[in-house]
């Protein structure tokens, strides 16, 4: 199986054999009816040749992939094949002249290739007419009638005629596909089923042959429908953004136009209850917006002028206008969908193991079936009829469909479930790795804290009342653009404090500010300013020190005679941080905070949220060293940051988590896991989802192999029948698909 590996920005190796994502060994070639799906990309000229994406609606599972790989793999001019079965897209790397022979080869296998060569070529699949249900219903009735004729002891020719009608009505597609597979030297499920049913007919097992074919066809239809649920979990995201938007025209009128034709910088109007069609920035009006489809936040968010809005989110109340900041194909939602589709293509470790196992398992079981059919009659005088029948039963059981299908359905369900909660996982490998996390390193600013200083304390030190103290301090602070002054001014504005006029305002670099209010000179500054003025006392020093030990920045208000009060400002901890750290500890994961802030602040914040270890005064390369040493000690380490100054540490960690990735394209593109909002509680959710996914993967492998083992033993002891074989094969497939889809439940 051809695969190529590249080294991404994080130093992780990714296996890009886009294979088995969404495998279903179904004979059904029905396309999803008129659903909105991702368009096929145009051919791209690269260093290795032309890369042409071809959509093949009949390509559902390893059955079709095996045929295509064998047919195209040896063709002159074909240098690479990438299968994304979830999207039903095959990307062929080839020399420029070979595209027509490639398409002809695909058609020779009974498939219909679609290619986006030019403007007229289809970029989305044309809906295929649904197949009528009555032939299958009639086939079922004929098979049951054949069984009844056999039991009633009526003429054999009647049972045979009814059986042939049943096989003809339900099995033509299976026989066609089986013949193509055998002709191409491929022993897939259609080939095995065709051999088994034909064998049963030749042995005179009329009712059994008919029931086997009908049951097989029904089970495949159910399997295809089940699998479409996993496929549609991602497709549902695409349908979040509306196709039209109300856009301001050059003549001042508003017009309803297609969202994909709206240019960046265009002005769009949104009414209450409407979905937002494109990413943008509000220029007038205010509203509450439900951002759950993008960030997973449960509560609507207040938005006003200057705030960003995302395509696919819902305007709950109020009307507003916004300017478009990204084209429809480059919105945050479009990038999320693209990232999840890419993640489906890259196979997870369990999936790679299962694929390798299946490649050895099928030929081995086929060889055993052949030996069972031939050796006992030849060497031990066994009855040919009995042993050939056993071999045919074994052939049906042999198909590894349930095993091969179990992993991608579970992984895709996990990726989709995470995306719904605002957690964007960039591949099955990270979904599987998450359960092993032993240490989680977290940046402080913007990750554990809000990243914006806020006033936390006010201490009155003279006879001046607190309102007067705040009025004077805020009047001075409002004239400065220092973050600490801004925090004081914002707190005063929020509480409705009236500002006074400041004359002769002056900034004192590294110390604070001064100005004249009502004819009197006041100073608003740090410890150094008061110290230089000789106003410090032991009592004042003690109070200052107590606040600074808590990781707070202190500024003081003084005039020329006394210090009147002190204000403490700190970067406040998010409410969600404490809960998230507690949940991580409950899951057995240790936490460490890595920050460029001083050690006092680091330890104070760590103590507030319950983090195990805190390191301060760190440069980006120091954070990298801490992560590297933990990995060297044999731990699986995750790093959580904003993806900019934490880039080296995020890259070195086993899993890099980017916080608040909504709207930031780089975070979505480079992080292993992107948390779409700033809520750290998504981290324990991710770990629990990873553990749940792994548990289901193990259950599915045990189920698939266990059921087959039981029926193999029954067959070899003479108790197995072809009915049982069909239940062993398709029954196991349905069980593992249903089990994998449990992840999609809320």
């Amino acid at each position: 199986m051809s695969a190529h590996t590249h080294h991404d920005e994080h130093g992780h190796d990714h296996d890009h054999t886009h294979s088995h994502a969404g495998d279903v060994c179904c004979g059904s070639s029905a396309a999803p009816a008129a659903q909105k799906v991702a368009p096929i990309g145009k051919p791209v000229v690269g260093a290795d040749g032309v890369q042409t994406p071809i959509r093949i609606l009949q390509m559902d599972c390893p059955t079709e992939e095996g045929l295509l790989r064998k047919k195209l793999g040896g063709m002159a001019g074909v240098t690479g094949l990438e299968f994304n079965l979830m999207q039903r897209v095959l990307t062929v790397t080839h020399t420029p002249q070979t595209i027509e022979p490639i398409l002809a080869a695909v058609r020779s296998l009974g498939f219909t290739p679609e290619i986006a060569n030019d403007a007229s070529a289809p970029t989305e699949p044309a809906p295929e007419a649904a197949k009528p249900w009555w032939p299958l219903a009639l086939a079922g009735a004929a098979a049951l009638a054949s069984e009844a004729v056999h039991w009633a002891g009526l003429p054999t020719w009647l049972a045979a005629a009814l059986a042939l009608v049943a096989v003809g009505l339900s099995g033509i597609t299976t026989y066609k596909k089986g013949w193509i597979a055998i002709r191409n030297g491929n022993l897939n499920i259609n080939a095995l089923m065709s051999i088994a049913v034909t064998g049963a007919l030749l042995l005179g097992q009329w009712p059994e042959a008919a029931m086997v074919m009908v049951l097989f066809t029904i089970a495949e239809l159910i399997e295809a429908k089940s699998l479409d649920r996993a496929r549609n979990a991602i497709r549902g995201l695409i349908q979040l953004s509306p196709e039209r938007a109300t856009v301001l025209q050059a003549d001042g009128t508003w017009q309803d136009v297609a969202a994909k034709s709206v240019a960046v910088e265009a002005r769009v109007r949104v009414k209450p209850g409407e979905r937002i069609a494109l990413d943008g920035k509000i220029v007038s009006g205010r509203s509450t917006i439900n951002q759950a489809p993008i960030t997973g936040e449960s509560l609507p968010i207040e938005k006003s002028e200057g705030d960003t809005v995302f395509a696919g989110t819902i305007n709950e109340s109020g009307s507003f206008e916004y300017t478009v900041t990204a084209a429809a194909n480059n919105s945050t939602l479009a990038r999320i969908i693209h990232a999840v589709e890419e993640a489906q293509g890259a196979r997870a470790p369990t999936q790679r193991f299962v694929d390798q196992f299946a490649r050895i398992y099928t030929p081995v079981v086929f060889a055993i079936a052949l030996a069972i059919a031939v050796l006992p009659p030849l060497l031990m005088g066994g009855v040919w009829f009995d042993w050939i029948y056993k071999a045919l039963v074994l052939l049906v059981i042999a198909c590894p469909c349930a095993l091969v299908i179990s992993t991608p359905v579970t992984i895709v369900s996990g990726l989709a479930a995470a995306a719904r909660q605002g957690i964007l996982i960039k591949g099955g490998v990270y979904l599987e790795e998450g359960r092993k996390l032993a240490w989680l390193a977290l940046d402080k600013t913007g990750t554990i804290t809000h990243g914006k200083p806020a006033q936390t304390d006010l201490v009155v030190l003279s006879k001046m009342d607190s309102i007067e103290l705040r009025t004077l301090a805020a009047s001075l602070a409002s004239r400065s653009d220092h973050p600490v002054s801004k925090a004081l001014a914002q707190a005063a504005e929020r509480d409705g404090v009236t500002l006074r006029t400041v004359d002769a305002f002056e900034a004192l670099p590294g110390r604070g500010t001064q100005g004249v209010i009502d004819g009197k000179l006041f100073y608003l500054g740090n410890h150094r300013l008061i110290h230089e003025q000789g106003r410090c006392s032991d009592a004042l020093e003690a109070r200052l020190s107590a606040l600074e030990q808590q990781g707070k920045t202190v500024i003081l208000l003084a005039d020329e005679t006394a210090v009147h009060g002190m204000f403490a400002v700190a970067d406040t901890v998010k409410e969600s941080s404490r809960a998230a750290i507690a949940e991580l500890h409950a899951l057995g994961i240790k936490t460490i905070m890595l920050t460029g802030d001083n050690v006092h602040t680091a330890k104070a914040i760590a103590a507030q949220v319950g983090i195990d270890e805190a390191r301060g005064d760190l440069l980006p390369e120091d954070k990298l060293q801490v992560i590297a040493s933990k990995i060297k000690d044999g731990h699986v380490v995750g790093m959580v940051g904003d993806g900019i100054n934490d880039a080296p540490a995020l890259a070195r960690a086993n899993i890099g988590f980017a916080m608040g990735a909504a709207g930031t394209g780089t975070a979505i593109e480079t992080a292993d896991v992107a948390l779409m909002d700033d809520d750290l509680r998504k981290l324990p959710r991710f770990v629990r989802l990873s553990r749940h996914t792994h548990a289901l993967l193990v259950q599915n492998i045990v189920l698939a192999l266990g059921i087959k083992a039981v029926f193999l033993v029954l067959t070899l002891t003479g108790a197995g029948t072809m009915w049982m074989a069909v239940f062993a094969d398709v029954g196991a497939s349905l069980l593992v698909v249903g089990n994998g889809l449990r992840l999609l439940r809320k």
Side-chain angles (χ1 to χ4, degrees), residues 145-174:
S146 177
E147 191 70 59
V149 166
H150 174 72
W151 280 107
L154 295 171
T156 305
W157 65 264
L158 185 55
L162 287 165
L164 288 170
V165 167
V167 171
L169 285 170
S170 63
I172 294 298
T173 306
T174 305

Side-chain angles (χ1 to χ4, degrees), residues 218-232:
I218 291 170
E220 284 193 325
L221 284 175
I222 297 168
E223 207 174 288
K225 291 265 184 291
S226 303
L227 200 78
D228 270 338
R229 251 195 85 195
R231 200 176 261 123
N232 293 343

Side-chain angles (χ1 to χ4, degrees), residues 409-471:
V409 169
T410 309
I411 295 288
V412 168
S413 298
L415 295 172
R420 283 179 183 175
Q421 294 181 47
I423 305 167
L424 189 57
I425 304 170
K426 297 297 287 294
V429 62
Y430 307 117
L431 183 58
E432 283 203 46
E433 191 88 341
R435 72 190 171 86
K436 302 178 193 166
L437 280 176
W439 277 91
L440 202 55
L442 302 105
D443 177 41
K444 179 184 80 75
T445 310
T447 301
I448 295 166
T449 64
H450 287 105
K452 293 173 189 163
Q455 183 183 318
T456 56
D457 298 78
L458 162 60
V459 182
V460 180
L461 298 171
S462 69
K463 289 180 181 173
M464 187 183 286
D465 71 72
S466 61
I467 294 171
E468 177 72 3
L469 186 67
R470 286 192 77 183
T471 303

Side-chain angles (χ1 to χ4, degrees), residues 483-537:
V484 175
S485 293
K486 278 185 174 173
L488 253 66
Q490 281 166 358
E493 186 186 343
R494 187 186 65 231
D495 296 341
V497 173
T498 309
L499 302 181
R500 296 199 193 149
T501 307
V502 180
D503 299 313
F505 177 82
E506 194 182 329
L508 307 169
R511 290 164 181 77
T513 59
Q514 67 178 48
V516 177
I517 301 173
D518 297 337
K520 196 172 180 183
L521 181 63
F522 286 95
Y523 300 94
L524 182 69
N526 57 18
H527 187 184
R528 182 191 290 178
L529 176 67
I530 303 302
H531 198 76
E532 286 173 358
Q533 292 180 345
R535 308 268 179 78
C536 270
S537 65

Side-chain angles (χ1 to χ4, degrees), residues 267 281-285 304-307 320-323:
R267 191 165 173 134
K281 190 167 274 192
I282 297 178
V283 286
S284 73
S304 57
E305 282 180 39
D307 288 334
F320 62 88
E321 292 171 18
Y322 68 91
T323 53

Side-chain angles (χ1 to χ4, degrees), residues 20 23 25 62 223 350-351 353-362 397-410 697-706 708 728-729 732-734 736-737:
H20 307 328
D23 305 337
C25 300
E223 207 174 288
T350 306
Q351 205 170 328
F353 156 75
V354 164
D355 290 342
Q356 285 158 359
F357 177 84
R359 280 205 296 279
I360 299 160
Y361 164 88
T362 308
I397 297 171
C399 181
C401 291
L403 185 65
V404 174
I405 198 178
S406 65
T407 41
V409 169
T410 309
L697 284 171
V698 172
Q699 285 170 23
N700 281 345
I701 290 168
V702 170
L703 259 176
L705 291 178
K708 290 200 181 294
D729 177 55
S733 294
L734 294 179
V736 297
V737 168

Side-chain angles (χ1 to χ4, degrees), residues 171-194:
I172 294 298
T173 306
T174 305
Y175 269 117
K176 272 185 190 167
K177 290 185 170 189
W179 172 240
I180 290 169
I182 292 165
R183 212 176 60 209
N184 286 277
N186 193 304
L187 286 173
N188 64 28
I189 184 61
N190 294 306
L192 296 179
M193 195 54 71
S194 301

